[in-house]
Amino acid sequence: MEIIPMMRFLAGMFLFSLLSASASAAESKPNFLVIFTDDQTFRAIGYNNPEIRTPTLDRLAREGVIFSHAYAASPICVASRASVMTGRFPQQHRTVGLDTASFLPRVESGKQKPLPAYLSGAGYVTALCGKSHLGDPRRYGFTAGKEHNDITDRQSLAFATDFLTQRGKDQQPFLLWFGMRQPHIPLRPEQKWLELYPQPLSIAPNFREAPLKESIYNQGLPGQAYYRDSNATGNYKKAASGPPRSRETIQDFTLAYYATISHLDHQVDELAKQLQQAGLADNTIIVYLSDNGYFLGNHGLGNKITMHEESVRVPMFFSGPKLPRHGVTCDQLVSSVDLLPTLLELAGVPRPEGLWGQSLVPQLTDPKRPLREYVVSECVGVEGKPGQGHRMVRTDRWKYVLTDVNDEALFDEQADTYELKNLAHEDSQRETLNKLRQMMRQWMTVVEDGHAKPPGE
C-alpha cells in the first residue's frame, strides 16, 4: 500500500476507535438518531437567535458540535430529502422540485443506493417515522417505519419511543430517522407555546411587504414572477397565502412559527429522555438539521426555493457523549450531502465513489480543520425540470447566484448579512465575480448541469 493511502487509512481507523472508546462489544458501532425538521430556517433556533425558546436543542448543541454554516443541497422538500438520502445533488439523483414519484424507481432499479440501505447492510436496524416525502421508507432501505401524517408529530414520537425501547432490550445498532413535520404549515400551536413569547416579535431588516420584481425572487418557473406559499388551513392562513403581507401579519405568523418550534423542542426533550431510560444515550450520536429554511417576510417572501440565506441555510449540530469534542462550533461550509459520507464513516462503512459531499468526521475532532472552499445549492422550484431554476456558490465571504433566467447576483455575506445589495454589476468586484463564476462552472460540470453556464470561458 502506498504511504499516503496508508496514512489516510490509519487516520480513519484512529478516529473510529476514538469514537468507539470505552464501548462494550455490543456497542462497537455508534447508534444514530437523526432529527430532520421541515422548513426550519437557521435563525429559528435559540443558539442563533435568543428570541426563540429552544432550551433542549440549545443544550444538546452545547453538548456537541454546532455547524454554523450548513446549507441544503436544494431548498425544497422532496429534492432536499433525496439529496440527503443519496449524498448527491438533484441533477445527479434526478429527483427535483416536488417530484416524489421519481425517487423509488431509481432506487429499486439500482441507480441510487440511499443511506439506510448502506447501514442496513452493515448490521444496523433502520427505521423512519414521520415525514418521508419520498415514498414508503421500507422500499428505499429502511427495515421498519412508515410515513405519519400527524402535523403535531405525536404519532411519530410514539413510534420512536417504542423503537428505542426495543433497541434498549436487544442492543442492536440502529439508525432512527425522525422526519418531523414541524414547523411546516399549517401552524397550529397550543396556547401554552404561544404564551412563551412576548409580543410583538422583532422583524428582520430585510422585511418587505412584497418582493421586488427581479428574477432572484422568483419561486415559480423560469420567467415567471411567482411567489409561493402552500395552501394552509387552520390558524395563520392569511400569513401563508402569499404577498403582500403586512408587518403585523408577519409578526403574527412568526409567533406561531416560533411557538411550533418550541413544541418541537419539547418533543426532542422527550426523545432524549427515552434514550436515557433505554440505556442508549452513551452510545448514540444525535444529528439535528432541517430539509431547508423558510422566509418570514424576508425580501417580501414566504416559503423557500430561492438562494437567499433564509431559504437555503439550516440549523445543524451533532451531539452525544461519544463525540470527541463537545461545546464547540465549526464555521466551515457544510452541505446536507455531507451527512451520508459522515454517518457511513462513523459506522465503519466504506465511502461510495463519485460523491461531492465530504465526511465531517475530521471536523468533529477538529472544528477548525478546513473542509472546502465553497458550497453549492440548486433548486428548480415546484414544477421545474432538471437544469432549470436557481443555483448558488457560497464561500466564507461571498455568495454568487445564477438565476433561472441567467441574471446574476453577488452578495458580501460579511458586510451585508441580510443580502440587501447586489454587487454583481460593481466594477470593483469584477475579480471576485469571475472567481465565483469559475467555481460555479466547475460544479456544473461535475453534476452535468443542463443550465447555461455563467459568462466566461
Side-chain angles (χ1 to χ4, degrees):
M1 183 179 287
E2 295 180 5
I3 294 177
I4 293 178
M6 174 62 81
M7 291 176 65
R8 292 180 64 183
F9 173 77
L10 292 174
M13 291 300 294
F14 170 74
L15 286 168
F16 181 73
S17 64
L18 182 64
L19 290 167
S20 302
S22 302
S24 67
E27 295 176 330
S28 59
K29 293 178 181 288
N31 305 314
F32 302 117
L33 169 58
V34 179
I35 302 171
F36 197 71
T37 64
D38 195 326
D39 285 358
Q40 186 177 4
T41 189
F42 76 103
R43 293 193 185 99
I45 195 166
Y47 62 73
N48 280 338
N49 178 3
E51 194 168 38
I52 188 167
R53 309 292 176 83
T54 55
T56 300
L57 296 176
D58 297 346
R59 173 179 60 80
L60 290 172
R62 288 194 300 269
E63 293 173 354
V65 179
I66 295 171
F67 290 92
S68 63
H69 289 74
Y71 292 84
S74 185
I76 191 169
C77 301
V78 175
S80 174
R81 290 162 193 270
S83 288
V84 173
M85 287 295 177
T86 63
R88 301 177 189 277
F89 288 95
Q91 289 189 86
Q92 294 176 306
H93 57 64
R94 310 302 288 179
T95 296
V96 301
L98 295 180
D99 181 21
T100 300
S102 66
F103 185 73
L104 286 178
R106 292 185 65 80
V107 171
E108 294 176 332
S109 68
K111 293 179 180 179
Q112 297 290 350
K113 186 174 181 179
L115 171 65
Y118 286 106
L119 292 181
S120 296
Y124 276 73
V125 179
T126 60
L128 182 147
C129 58
K131 188 171 185 176
S132 163
H133 224 340
L134 297 173
D136 185 344
R138 293 166 296 182
R139 290 177 60 187
Y140 61 93
F142 285 97
T143 52
K146 62 178 294 186
E147 178 139 6
H148 296 95
N149 294 317
D150 177 12
I151 65 169
T152 66
D153 291 315
R154 291 188 177 92
Q155 293 175 358
S156 306
L157 184 61
F159 177 98
T161 298
D162 291 343
F163 179 86
L164 294 175
T165 299
Q166 185 59 42
R167 299 292 76 77
K169 294 175 181 176
D170 62 32
Q171 291 296 305
Q172 289 183 269
F174 67 83
L175 163 68
L176 174 58
W177 192 281
F178 195 131
M180 304 193 86
R181 288 186 171 270
Q182 300 168 101
H184 196 287
I185 57 175
L187 303 176
R188 297 174 181 169
E190 297 176 21
Q191 187 63 29
K192 64 180 179 180
W193 306 113
L194 293 167
E195 290 173 354
L196 291 176
Y197 293 93
Q199 300 182 48
L201 293 171
S202 60
I203 296 296
N206 57 3
F207 164 78
R208 295 180 60 89
E209 290 195 355
L212 299 173
K213 303 299 183 182
E214 298 175 11
S215 66
I216 192 172
Y217 305 111
N218 179 34
Q219 296 172 312
L221 296 175
Q224 289 184 327
Y226 176 73
Y227 310 112
R228 181 178 187 266
D229 256 310
S230 300
N231 293 322
T233 57
N235 295 342
Y236 311 100
K237 181 175 181 179
K238 183 178 179 181
S241 62
R245 306 175 184 90
S246 69
R247 179 176 294 269
E248 292 73 24
T249 296
I250 287 298
Q251 286 173 325
D252 185 51
F253 183 82
T254 301
L255 170 64
Y257 182 78
Y258 285 2
T260 301
I261 294 173
S262 291
H263 175 248
L264 176 161
D265 180 85
H266 177 72
Q267 291 178 315
V268 173
D269 183 54
E270 292 186 47
L271 273 179
K273 289 176 179 176
Q274 185 58 36
L275 282 173
Q276 290 285 353
Q277 292 172 10
L280 300 169
D282 289 345
N283 195 42
T284 299
I285 296 173
I286 298 173
V287 185
Y288 186 92
L289 74 162
S290 193
D291 59 349
N292 46 252
Y294 203 79
F295 287 110
L296 299 172
N298 313 91
H299 304 289
L301 297 171
N303 213 272
K304 50 265 185 178
I305 295 174
T306 78
M307 293 295 119
H308 298 93
E309 292 286 278
E310 294 86 3
S311 169
V312 77
R313 186 172 167 189
V314 297
M316 179 175 175
F317 63 80
F318 282 58
S319 183
K322 203 160 191 174
L323 296 176
R325 296 291 303 275
H326 302 90
V328 294
T329 297
C330 176
D331 295 325
Q332 300 298 316
L333 296 164
V334 169
S335 171
S336 61
V337 296
D338 295 333
L339 186 62
L340 181 143
T342 302
L343 296 191
L344 293 188
E345 181 169 351
L346 290 170
V349 178
R351 173 190 171 92
E353 295 183 357
L355 297 184
W356 189 87
Q358 300 294 315
S359 171
L360 303 178
V361 170
Q363 283 67 40
L364 293 174
T365 303
D366 178 8
K368 296 187 180 301
R369 180 168 175 168
L371 178 63
R372 55 166 58 91
E373 189 176 5
Y374 63 92
V375 72
V376 186
S377 184
E378 60 164 319
C379 190
V380 306
V382 178
E383 298 178 348
K385 302 185 185 323
Q388 293 181 336
H390 307 297
R391 63 253 314 118
M392 75 159 198
V393 163
R394 171 72 151 89
T395 70
D396 61 344
R397 177 174 178 180
W398 300 98
K399 177 186 288 185
Y400 169 75
V401 179
L402 184 66
T403 78
D404 51 6
V405 293
N406 299 315
D407 291 336
E408 296 179 290
L410 179 69
F411 298 109
D412 184 341
E413 297 291 340
Q414 292 181 5
D416 180 22
T417 57
Y418 286 93
E419 299 174 331
L420 294 170
K421 186 175 183 181
N422 181 3
L423 303 175
H425 304 293
E426 299 282 339
D427 290 340
S428 61
Q429 302 302 335
R430 188 62 48 191
E431 182 178 351
T432 298
L433 180 66
N434 285 332
K435 182 178 180 181
L436 271 76
R437 283 171 169 170
Q438 178 58 23
M439 293 175 181
M440 176 66 76
R441 287 193 290 270
Q442 290 172 349
W443 175 82
M444 293 175 80
T445 298
V446 169
V447 301
E448 300 180 345
D449 192 341
H451 192 85
K453 292 184 179 179
E457 297 179 2

